Amino acid sequence: MSRYEFTCPECGQEIEVNESMREATLSHGCPVCSASVGSSDFVAEQETN
Ligand SMILES: [Zn+2]
């Protein structure tokens, strides 16, 4: 499953999210401060195993 590191541009909160959480955050905004966020606020994480 794809995982992403989300960093809020407004409050600076860093959250590790999966694909569905990424979609929800793009739709509803930061879960901490509700700021609207864009796809550039997510960085895909590489699987390491
Ligand atoms: Zn925020």
Side-chain angles (χ1 to χ4, degrees):
M1 182 189 298
S2 298
R3 300 189 71 84
Y4 300 86
E5 182 74 24
F6 166 66
T7 304
C8 178
E10 190 67 29
C11 69
Q13 181 68 50
E14 296 180 3
I15 307 171
E16 186 178 84
V17 299
N18 62 25
E19 184 67 46
S20 63
M21 289 173 68
R22 177 179 179 273
E23 295 297 326
T25 304
L26 285 168
S27 296
H28 303 297
C30 174
V32 177
C33 72
S34 300
S36 64
V37 303
S39 57
S40 62
D41 299 314
F42 295 83
V43 177
E45 295 185 344
Q46 298 294 327
E47 291 287 340
T48 54
N49 43 293

Short mmCIF file of all heavy atoms in Angstrom, two decimals:
data_model
loop_
_atom_site.label_atom_id
_atom_site.label_comp_id
_atom_site.label_asym_id
_atom_site.label_seq_id
_atom_site.Cartn_x
_atom_site.Cartn_y
_atom_site.Cartn_z
N MET A 1 0.85 -1.20 0.00
CA MET A 1 0.00 0.00 0.00
C MET A 1 0.89 1.25 0.00
O MET A 1 1.89 1.31 0.68
CB MET A 1 -0.90 -0.01 1.25
CG MET A 1 -1.85 1.17 1.30
SD MET A 1 -2.70 1.28 2.89
CE MET A 1 -3.59 -0.27 2.92
N SER A 2 0.48 2.23 -0.78
CA SER A 2 1.23 3.47 -0.81
C SER A 2 1.07 4.23 0.50
O SER A 2 -0.02 4.29 1.06
CB SER A 2 0.73 4.35 -1.95
OG SER A 2 0.93 3.72 -3.18
N ARG A 3 2.17 4.79 0.96
CA ARG A 3 2.12 5.60 2.17
C ARG A 3 2.74 6.95 1.84
O ARG A 3 3.63 7.05 1.01
CB ARG A 3 2.87 4.94 3.32
CG ARG A 3 2.32 3.59 3.67
CD ARG A 3 2.96 3.07 4.94
NE ARG A 3 2.51 3.81 6.11
CZ ARG A 3 1.38 3.56 6.78
NH1 ARG A 3 0.60 2.58 6.41
NH2 ARG A 3 1.06 4.26 7.82
N TYR A 4 2.27 7.97 2.54
CA TYR A 4 2.72 9.32 2.28
C TYR A 4 3.02 10.03 3.59
O TYR A 4 2.38 9.78 4.61
CB TYR A 4 1.63 10.12 1.54
CG TYR A 4 1.24 9.52 0.22
CD1 TYR A 4 0.27 8.54 0.16
CD2 TYR A 4 1.85 9.93 -0.96
CE1 TYR A 4 -0.09 7.96 -1.06
CE2 TYR A 4 1.51 9.38 -2.17
CZ TYR A 4 0.53 8.39 -2.22
OH TYR A 4 0.18 7.83 -3.41
N GLU A 5 3.99 10.92 3.55
CA GLU A 5 4.27 11.78 4.68
C GLU A 5 3.62 13.12 4.37
O GLU A 5 3.99 13.80 3.40
CB GLU A 5 5.78 11.95 4.85
CG GLU A 5 6.18 12.82 6.04
CD GLU A 5 5.99 12.10 7.37
OE1 GLU A 5 6.00 10.87 7.40
OE2 GLU A 5 5.84 12.80 8.39
N PHE A 6 2.64 13.47 5.18
CA PHE A 6 1.94 14.75 5.01
C PHE A 6 2.54 15.77 5.95
O PHE A 6 2.73 15.50 7.13
CB PHE A 6 0.44 14.56 5.31
CG PHE A 6 -0.30 15.85 5.50
CD1 PHE A 6 -0.47 16.74 4.46
CD2 PHE A 6 -0.83 16.18 6.73
CE1 PHE A 6 -1.16 17.94 4.62
CE2 PHE A 6 -1.53 17.37 6.92
CZ PHE A 6 -1.68 18.25 5.87
N THR A 7 2.86 16.94 5.43
CA THR A 7 3.28 18.05 6.27
C THR A 7 2.34 19.22 6.01
O THR A 7 2.26 19.73 4.88
CB THR A 7 4.73 18.47 5.97
OG1 THR A 7 5.59 17.35 6.13
CG2 THR A 7 5.17 19.58 6.93
N CYS A 8 1.63 19.65 7.03
CA CYS A 8 0.67 20.74 6.87
C CYS A 8 1.41 22.06 6.66
O CYS A 8 2.28 22.41 7.44
CB CYS A 8 -0.22 20.83 8.11
SG CYS A 8 -1.39 22.20 8.00
N PRO A 9 1.05 22.79 5.60
CA PRO A 9 1.71 24.07 5.32
C PRO A 9 1.28 25.15 6.31
O PRO A 9 1.93 26.20 6.41
CB PRO A 9 1.24 24.40 3.90
CG PRO A 9 -0.10 23.73 3.79
CD PRO A 9 0.03 22.46 4.60
N GLU A 10 0.21 24.92 7.04
CA GLU A 10 -0.33 25.92 7.95
C GLU A 10 0.19 25.73 9.37
O GLU A 10 0.75 26.64 9.96
CB GLU A 10 -1.86 25.86 7.92
CG GLU A 10 -2.54 27.01 8.64
CD GLU A 10 -2.31 28.34 7.95
OE1 GLU A 10 -2.12 28.36 6.72
OE2 GLU A 10 -2.28 29.38 8.63
N CYS A 11 -0.02 24.53 9.93
CA CYS A 11 0.36 24.30 11.33
C CYS A 11 1.64 23.50 11.47
O CYS A 11 2.16 23.36 12.58
CB CYS A 11 -0.79 23.61 12.09
SG CYS A 11 -1.09 21.90 11.59
N GLY A 12 2.16 22.95 10.36
CA GLY A 12 3.43 22.24 10.40
C GLY A 12 3.35 20.82 10.91
O GLY A 12 4.37 20.15 11.04
N GLN A 13 2.13 20.34 11.21
CA GLN A 13 1.97 18.97 11.71
C GLN A 13 2.43 17.97 10.65
O GLN A 13 2.07 18.09 9.48
CB GLN A 13 0.50 18.72 12.06
CG GLN A 13 0.22 17.34 12.61
CD GLN A 13 0.83 17.13 13.98
OE1 GLN A 13 0.66 17.94 14.87
NE2 GLN A 13 1.56 16.04 14.14
N GLU A 14 3.20 16.97 11.05
CA GLU A 14 3.62 15.91 10.15
C GLU A 14 2.87 14.64 10.49
O GLU A 14 2.86 14.21 11.64
CB GLU A 14 5.12 15.67 10.25
CG GLU A 14 5.93 16.89 9.81
CD GLU A 14 7.44 16.65 9.91
OE1 GLU A 14 7.86 15.53 10.26
OE2 GLU A 14 8.19 17.60 9.66
N ILE A 15 2.23 14.04 9.50
CA ILE A 15 1.41 12.86 9.72
C ILE A 15 1.69 11.86 8.61
O ILE A 15 1.72 12.22 7.44
CB ILE A 15 -0.10 13.20 9.70
CG1 ILE A 15 -0.42 14.33 10.68
CG2 ILE A 15 -0.95 11.97 10.01
CD1 ILE A 15 -1.84 14.88 10.55
N GLU A 16 1.89 10.59 9.00
CA GLU A 16 2.03 9.55 7.99
C GLU A 16 0.64 9.04 7.62
O GLU A 16 -0.14 8.69 8.50
CB GLU A 16 2.88 8.40 8.53
CG GLU A 16 3.19 7.36 7.47
CD GLU A 16 4.07 6.25 8.02
OE1 GLU A 16 3.54 5.31 8.63
OE2 GLU A 16 5.29 6.33 7.85
N VAL A 17 0.33 9.05 6.34
CA VAL A 17 -1.01 8.67 5.89
C VAL A 17 -0.94 7.62 4.80
O VAL A 17 0.08 7.47 4.12
CB VAL A 17 -1.78 9.90 5.36
CG1 VAL A 17 -1.96 10.95 6.46
CG2 VAL A 17 -1.10 10.53 4.15
N ASN A 18 -2.04 6.89 4.62
CA ASN A 18 -2.14 5.98 3.49
C ASN A 18 -2.94 6.64 2.37
O ASN A 18 -3.32 7.82 2.48
CB ASN A 18 -2.75 4.64 3.93
CG ASN A 18 -4.16 4.80 4.46
OD1 ASN A 18 -4.88 5.73 4.12
ND2 ASN A 18 -4.57 3.88 5.32
N GLU A 19 -3.16 5.90 1.30
CA GLU A 19 -3.81 6.48 0.12
C GLU A 19 -5.18 7.07 0.45
O GLU A 19 -5.50 8.19 0.04
CB GLU A 19 -3.93 5.41 -0.96
CG GLU A 19 -4.50 5.91 -2.27
CD GLU A 19 -3.58 6.89 -2.99
OE1 GLU A 19 -2.38 6.61 -3.08
OE2 GLU A 19 -4.08 7.92 -3.46
N SER A 20 -6.00 6.34 1.19
CA SER A 20 -7.35 6.81 1.47
C SER A 20 -7.34 8.02 2.41
O SER A 20 -8.13 8.95 2.26
CB SER A 20 -8.23 5.69 2.05
OG SER A 20 -7.73 5.23 3.27
N MET A 21 -6.40 8.02 3.36
CA MET A 21 -6.27 9.18 4.25
C MET A 21 -5.78 10.40 3.47
O MET A 21 -6.16 11.54 3.75
CB MET A 21 -5.31 8.87 5.39
CG MET A 21 -5.87 7.89 6.40
SD MET A 21 -4.65 7.38 7.61
CE MET A 21 -4.40 8.92 8.51
N ARG A 22 -4.93 10.16 2.47
CA ARG A 22 -4.45 11.25 1.63
C ARG A 22 -5.63 11.88 0.88
O ARG A 22 -5.77 13.11 0.85
CB ARG A 22 -3.42 10.69 0.64
CG ARG A 22 -2.89 11.72 -0.36
CD ARG A 22 -1.86 11.06 -1.26
NE ARG A 22 -1.33 11.96 -2.26
CZ ARG A 22 -1.88 12.20 -3.46
NH1 ARG A 22 -2.97 11.56 -3.79
NH2 ARG A 22 -1.32 13.04 -4.29
N GLU A 23 -6.48 11.03 0.30
CA GLU A 23 -7.65 11.54 -0.43
C GLU A 23 -8.56 12.33 0.51
O GLU A 23 -9.06 13.39 0.15
CB GLU A 23 -8.43 10.37 -1.04
CG GLU A 23 -7.68 9.61 -2.12
CD GLU A 23 -7.36 10.47 -3.33
OE1 GLU A 23 -8.18 11.34 -3.67
OE2 GLU A 23 -6.30 10.27 -3.94
N ALA A 24 -8.78 11.81 1.71
CA ALA A 24 -9.65 12.48 2.67
C ALA A 24 -9.08 13.82 3.10
O ALA A 24 -9.81 14.80 3.24
CB ALA A 24 -9.86 11.59 3.89
N THR A 25 -7.76 13.86 3.29
CA THR A 25 -7.12 15.11 3.71
C THR A 25 -7.17 16.15 2.59
O THR A 25 -7.42 17.33 2.85
CB THR A 25 -5.67 14.85 4.14
OG1 THR A 25 -5.67 13.86 5.17
CG2 THR A 25 -5.02 16.11 4.68
N LEU A 26 -6.99 15.71 1.35
CA LEU A 26 -7.12 16.63 0.22
C LEU A 26 -8.54 17.18 0.12
O LEU A 26 -8.74 18.34 -0.23
CB LEU A 26 -6.75 15.91 -1.09
CG LEU A 26 -5.25 15.67 -1.32
CD1 LEU A 26 -5.04 14.71 -2.48
CD2 LEU A 26 -4.53 16.98 -1.59
N SER A 27 -9.52 16.36 0.44
CA SER A 27 -10.92 16.78 0.33
C SER A 27 -11.35 17.67 1.49
O SER A 27 -12.07 18.65 1.29
CB SER A 27 -11.83 15.54 0.29
OG SER A 27 -11.58 14.78 -0.87
N HIS A 28 -10.89 17.30 2.71
CA HIS A 28 -11.43 17.95 3.91
C HIS A 28 -10.45 18.89 4.59
O HIS A 28 -10.82 19.62 5.51
CB HIS A 28 -11.88 16.88 4.91
CG HIS A 28 -12.89 15.93 4.34
ND1 HIS A 28 -14.14 16.33 3.91
CD2 HIS A 28 -12.81 14.60 4.07
CE1 HIS A 28 -14.79 15.26 3.44
NE2 HIS A 28 -14.00 14.22 3.52
N GLY A 29 -9.19 18.87 4.18
CA GLY A 29 -8.18 19.73 4.79
C GLY A 29 -7.42 19.03 5.90
O GLY A 29 -7.68 17.88 6.23
N CYS A 30 -6.47 19.75 6.47
CA CYS A 30 -5.64 19.22 7.55
C CYS A 30 -6.50 18.73 8.71
O CYS A 30 -7.39 19.44 9.16
CB CYS A 30 -4.69 20.34 8.03
SG CYS A 30 -3.72 19.90 9.49
N PRO A 31 -6.24 17.50 9.21
CA PRO A 31 -7.03 16.98 10.33
C PRO A 31 -6.79 17.73 11.63
O PRO A 31 -7.59 17.64 12.56
CB PRO A 31 -6.57 15.52 10.44
CG PRO A 31 -5.25 15.46 9.76
CD PRO A 31 -5.28 16.52 8.69
N VAL A 32 -5.71 18.49 11.71
CA VAL A 32 -5.40 19.24 12.93
C VAL A 32 -6.01 20.64 12.89
O VAL A 32 -6.70 21.06 13.81
CB VAL A 32 -3.87 19.32 13.13
CG1 VAL A 32 -3.52 20.16 14.36
CG2 VAL A 32 -3.29 17.92 13.26
N CYS A 33 -5.76 21.39 11.80
CA CYS A 33 -6.16 22.80 11.77
C CYS A 33 -7.17 23.12 10.66
O CYS A 33 -7.60 24.26 10.54
CB CYS A 33 -4.93 23.69 11.64
SG CYS A 33 -4.18 23.63 9.99
N SER A 34 -7.53 22.12 9.86
CA SER A 34 -8.52 22.28 8.79
C SER A 34 -8.10 23.16 7.62
O SER A 34 -8.90 23.51 6.77
CB SER A 34 -9.86 22.79 9.35
OG SER A 34 -10.38 21.90 10.29
N ALA A 35 -6.81 23.53 7.57
CA ALA A 35 -6.32 24.29 6.42
C ALA A 35 -6.44 23.46 5.15
O ALA A 35 -6.26 22.24 5.18
CB ALA A 35 -4.86 24.67 6.65
N SER A 36 -6.78 24.11 4.04
CA SER A 36 -6.82 23.39 2.77
C SER A 36 -5.40 23.06 2.35
O SER A 36 -4.48 23.86 2.51
CB SER A 36 -7.54 24.20 1.70
OG SER A 36 -6.83 25.38 1.43
N VAL A 37 -5.20 21.86 1.83
CA VAL A 37 -3.88 21.39 1.45
C VAL A 37 -3.91 20.89 0.01
O VAL A 37 -4.97 20.62 -0.54
CB VAL A 37 -3.40 20.27 2.40
CG1 VAL A 37 -3.40 20.75 3.85
CG2 VAL A 37 -4.24 19.01 2.24
N GLY A 38 -2.74 20.80 -0.60
CA GLY A 38 -2.64 20.33 -1.97
C GLY A 38 -1.78 19.09 -2.06
O GLY A 38 -1.15 18.69 -1.08
N SER A 39 -1.73 18.51 -3.24
CA SER A 39 -0.97 17.28 -3.43
C SER A 39 0.52 17.47 -3.17
O SER A 39 1.23 16.54 -2.82
CB SER A 39 -1.20 16.71 -4.83
OG SER A 39 -0.86 17.66 -5.80
N SER A 40 1.00 18.72 -3.32
CA SER A 40 2.41 18.99 -3.08
C SER A 40 2.79 18.93 -1.60
O SER A 40 3.96 18.94 -1.26
CB SER A 40 2.79 20.36 -3.65
OG SER A 40 2.07 21.38 -3.00
N ASP A 41 1.77 18.86 -0.73
CA ASP A 41 2.04 18.74 0.71
C ASP A 41 2.23 17.29 1.15
O ASP A 41 2.46 17.03 2.32
CB ASP A 41 0.90 19.39 1.50
CG ASP A 41 0.77 20.87 1.18
OD1 ASP A 41 1.81 21.55 1.16
OD2 ASP A 41 -0.35 21.34 0.95
N PHE A 42 2.15 16.37 0.20
CA PHE A 42 2.37 14.96 0.48
C PHE A 42 3.62 14.48 -0.25
O PHE A 42 3.82 14.79 -1.42
CB PHE A 42 1.18 14.12 -0.01
CG PHE A 42 -0.10 14.42 0.72
CD1 PHE A 42 -0.88 15.50 0.34
CD2 PHE A 42 -0.50 13.64 1.79
CE1 PHE A 42 -2.08 15.79 1.00
CE2 PHE A 42 -1.69 13.92 2.45
CZ PHE A 42 -2.47 14.99 2.06
N VAL A 43 4.44 13.71 0.46
CA VAL A 43 5.62 13.11 -0.15
C VAL A 43 5.47 11.60 -0.04
O VAL A 43 5.28 11.07 1.06
CB VAL A 43 6.91 13.58 0.55
CG1 VAL A 43 8.12 12.88 -0.06
CG2 VAL A 43 7.05 15.09 0.45
N ALA A 44 5.55 10.92 -1.16
CA ALA A 44 5.44 9.47 -1.15
C ALA A 44 6.62 8.85 -0.43
O ALA A 44 7.76 9.27 -0.62
CB ALA A 44 5.34 8.94 -2.58
N GLU A 45 6.35 7.85 0.39
CA GLU A 45 7.42 7.14 1.09
C GLU A 45 7.73 5.86 0.33
O GLU A 45 6.85 5.18 -0.16
CB GLU A 45 6.98 6.79 2.52
CG GLU A 45 6.75 8.02 3.38
CD GLU A 45 6.45 7.62 4.82
OE1 GLU A 45 6.13 6.46 5.06
OE2 GLU A 45 6.55 8.50 5.69
N GLN A 46 9.00 5.53 0.30
CA GLN A 46 9.41 4.28 -0.35
C GLN A 46 9.24 3.12 0.62
O GLN A 46 9.49 3.26 1.82
CB GLN A 46 10.88 4.36 -0.76
CG GLN A 46 11.18 5.45 -1.76
CD GLN A 46 10.52 5.21 -3.10
OE1 GLN A 46 10.36 4.08 -3.52
NE2 GLN A 46 10.13 6.27 -3.77
N GLU A 47 8.79 1.99 0.09
CA GLU A 47 8.77 0.77 0.88
C GLU A 47 10.21 0.36 1.16
O GLU A 47 11.05 0.33 0.27
CB GLU A 47 8.06 -0.36 0.13
CG GLU A 47 6.57 -0.15 -0.03
CD GLU A 47 5.82 -0.37 1.27
OE1 GLU A 47 6.40 -1.04 2.16
OE2 GLU A 47 4.69 0.11 1.40
N THR A 48 10.49 0.06 2.42
CA THR A 48 11.85 -0.37 2.76
C THR A 48 11.81 -1.74 3.41
O THR A 48 11.60 -1.86 4.59
CB THR A 48 12.53 0.64 3.70
OG1 THR A 48 11.71 0.85 4.83
CG2 THR A 48 12.79 1.96 3.01
N ASN A 49 11.94 -2.77 2.60
CA ASN A 49 12.14 -4.11 3.08
C ASN A 49 12.78 -4.95 2.01
O ASN A 49 13.85 -5.28 1.94
CB ASN A 49 10.83 -4.80 3.51
CG ASN A 49 9.71 -4.57 2.54
OD1 ASN A 49 9.27 -3.46 2.41
ND2 ASN A 49 9.28 -5.56 1.83
ZN ZN B 1 -2.68 21.92 9.86
#
